Amino acid sequence: MIVQDYREYLDDILVTEEDLRNRVAELGEQISSDYQGESLHLICILRGGILFLTDLMRQITVPNTIDFMVVTSYGTARKTTGQVRITLDLQENIQGRHVLLVEDIVDSGYTIASVLEFLETRHPASLRVCTLLNKPERREVDVPIHYCGFIIPNKFVFGYGLDMDEYFRNLPFIATVALDRYRPTNESG
Ligand code: IMP
Ligand code: MG
């Protein structure tokens, strides 16, 4: 299988490794202060939020636990249709707990809106959203965002958890894509 080198379609490095480190530390500090005296249950939406979660939790000083969910959106990778399905449910009960949802990016807002609605039915003590990235220009449904790493322009990005058709989630920075230079992977190639 031939995977195109991301350098061929990388347009710009939007958020550097250092920017990420600094901002994640700030968010961790803010969250720790807001939840002082409580314990916090972090819920990460796989797979995009994984790098953010593991860095963020190391910056949180209040006692915390983690759990994961997998959510599948219908539509193509670059445009969700609004229908979202939970394909992996939580392992633990969230009733009466302080829950913080950890997401990679809020784009149309459909994913977070559905997940919030689903989690509310289980009666957490509180429920907030922490997203690394926010693309407000793309919003189609209003969602509450309590903590946000960076507001970004309406461009497709990859790296630090975010994928380019599943690849390059491991990059330590966030980059924009020049879609005209991108050739989708030929699975039989
Ligand atoms: P929403 O439901 O439209 O808000 O989309 C959220 C999901 O779409 C995210 O969790 C990502 O998996 C994906 N997504 C949205 N924008 C981007 C992007 O620029 N790069 C990579 N994935 C993205
Ligand atoms: Mg994706």
Side-chain angles (χ1 to χ4, degrees):
M1 180 162 35
I2 297 167
V3 178
Q4 185 185 7
D5 188 325
Y6 71 86
R7 292 172 194 86
E8 292 175 15
Y9 55 77
L10 187 154
D11 197 24
D12 244 333
I13 294 188
L14 197 63
V15 188
T16 65
E17 195 171 354
E18 192 189 355
D19 295 337
L20 285 165
R21 199 179 321 113
N22 292 338
R23 187 67 186 127
V24 170
E26 286 174 1
L27 288 171
E29 204 175 309
Q30 194 189 338
I31 291 166
S32 304
S33 129
D34 291 354
Y35 290 88
Q36 199 61 56
E38 308 283 357
S39 59
L40 183 57
H41 192 50
L42 302 163
I43 295 181
C44 174
I45 304 178
L46 294 175
R47 288 162 284 201
I50 182 76
L51 270 71
F52 181 39
L53 173 80
T54 57
D55 284 343
L56 182 67
M57 66 187 291
R58 281 179 277 194
Q59 301 296 329
I60 293 178
T61 54
V62 297
N64 61 82
T65 49
I66 58 173
D67 204 349
F68 299 92
M69 276 172 90
V70 176
V71 173
T72 306
S73 324
Y74 291 96
T76 65
R78 280 173 276 287
K79 181 87 184 81
T80 50
T81 57
Q83 284 163 297
V84 174
R85 195 163 46 104
I86 311 287
T87 49
L88 177 77
D89 201 346
L90 299 171
Q91 303 299 299
E92 287 184 50
N93 191 348
I94 60 167
Q95 186 169 355
R97 299 170 81 165
H98 293 289
V99 171
L100 183 62
L101 253 187
V102 178
E103 244 292 47
D104 54 352
I105 184 165
V106 181
D107 189 39
S108 70
Y110 286 123
T111 305
I112 284 293
S114 310
V115 170
L116 287 175
E117 196 182 328
F118 170 81
L119 295 178
E120 287 288 7
T121 66
R122 297 185 178 176
H123 308 293
S126 68
L127 180 56
R128 286 184 170 180
V129 174
C130 177
T131 184
L132 179 67
L133 306 175
N134 180 9
K135 257 191 225 177
E137 285 171 56
R138 293 258 301 178
R139 201 61 34 80
E140 288 179 32
V141 50
D142 207 24
V143 287
I145 296 177
H146 305 89
Y147 305 97
C148 169
F150 302 90
I151 291 176
I152 65 164
N154 183 8
K155 287 186 177 159
F156 199 79
V157 295
F158 70 112
Y160 196 70
L162 295 112
D163 66 301
M164 207 41 214
D165 294 338
E166 294 305 326
Y167 287 95
F168 303 120
R169 294 186 193 271
N170 59 311
L171 296 175
F173 51 78
I174 292 170
T176 56
V177 180
L179 284 169
D180 57 326
R181 283 189 260 127
Y182 175 62
R183 287 179 275 108
T185 301
N186 177 2
E187 296 293 336
S188 59

